[in-house]
Amino acid sequence: MSYPCSISWLASQLRALPAQADAALILRHAERAAIPPGTFGQDVPLTARGIADAERLGATLAAIRPSVTATASPVPRCADTARAILRGAGRIEEEVALDWRLGEPGPFVVDEQLAGALFLEVGILEIARRQLSDAEPPVGMRTTSDGVALLLELAASPLRSDGRLRLYVTHDGILAVLVAYLYRLPIDAIPWPGYLDGLLLWQRAGRLRFAWRGLRQRSCPLRG
């Protein structure tokens, strides 16, 4: 079985942080089966490889940060990824919290019917381009800045100095827009999130620092 390069990158980044600094990891779910055309595939499951990779990620992360918690999108493939990571980390007693800001509907969607129809019509990549370039948000969606603020409220506001690792499992479209927005780049200028790719967040000197595979570390004010 192949070893996703994202796991090696995340481990190296996490080892470089001060041991007492909390870290948040917003990551895409593990490998899933194919989504049927014309659907959102809400119930499409993880593959056996995806489950194994998530467990392996959990073991790798726990060797660096034994205190691990997980929050996930309510969509089953995200929740199952979080459970597999915790299982691999030896945290089988830890419950996975579910949060709508990570998906279903996610931080950017206001009207699921309107936004959903647009997603199926133009595709997720075009939606992301519009979120990052148009003056007005796509139909049925809130502004990108407001959506990012919701995500950072979830993931960055709990960061303290307890040495905890907080995992947040989401979807590629949400994660891609978050990364592009924080780096102030167009969507085509960032590596699109692969399975188990993650954005690492931590606090230092009163700022929120973040790192994404293929890009240099950056920072922003703690409120985004």
Side-chain angles (χ1 to χ4, degrees), residues 115-199:
L118 185 62
F119 270 84
L120 292 178
E121 178 187 351
V122 304
I124 192 169
L125 183 56
E126 177 58 24
I127 291 287
R129 289 193 182 106
R130 295 182 187 184
Q131 286 182 268
L132 294 162
S133 59
D134 290 357
E136 296 295 327
V139 63
M141 302 180 70
R142 60 172 51 87
T143 65
T144 303
S145 60
D146 285 349
V148 166
L150 286 172
L151 279 171
L152 294 184
E153 178 185 31
L154 173 66
S157 61
L159 293 175
R160 299 292 183 268
S161 299
D162 301 318
R164 295 179 181 272
L165 175 61
R166 305 175 187 273
L167 303 177
Y168 301 90
V169 185
T170 187
H171 305 269
D172 56 346
I174 292 173
L175 183 54
V177 171
L178 173 62
V179 171
Y181 183 88
L182 289 176
Y183 275 94
R184 301 297 192 260
L185 293 172
I187 198 69
D188 299 302
I190 69 162
W192 189 265
Y195 297 122
L196 296 178
D197 262 342
L199 176 72

Side-chain angles (χ1 to χ4, degrees), residues 6-27 56-69 85 89 159 163-167 198-203 209-212 217:
S6 58
I7 295 181
S8 298
W9 181 85
L10 289 170
S12 66
Q13 293 293 309
L14 196 57
R15 289 191 188 98
L17 299 186
Q20 72 276 11
D22 281 7
L25 180 57
I26 306 177
L27 71 158
R56 188 182 302 187
L57 174 60
T60 299
L61 296 177
I64 306 168
R65 294 292 179 100
S67 180
V68 182
T69 62
I85 292 173
L159 293 175
R164 295 179 181 272
L165 175 61
R166 305 175 187 273
L167 303 177
L199 176 72
L200 189 64
L201 305 167
W202 68 99
Q203 289 188 30
R209 298 197 65 84
F210 49 90
W212 179 252
Q217 289 184 14

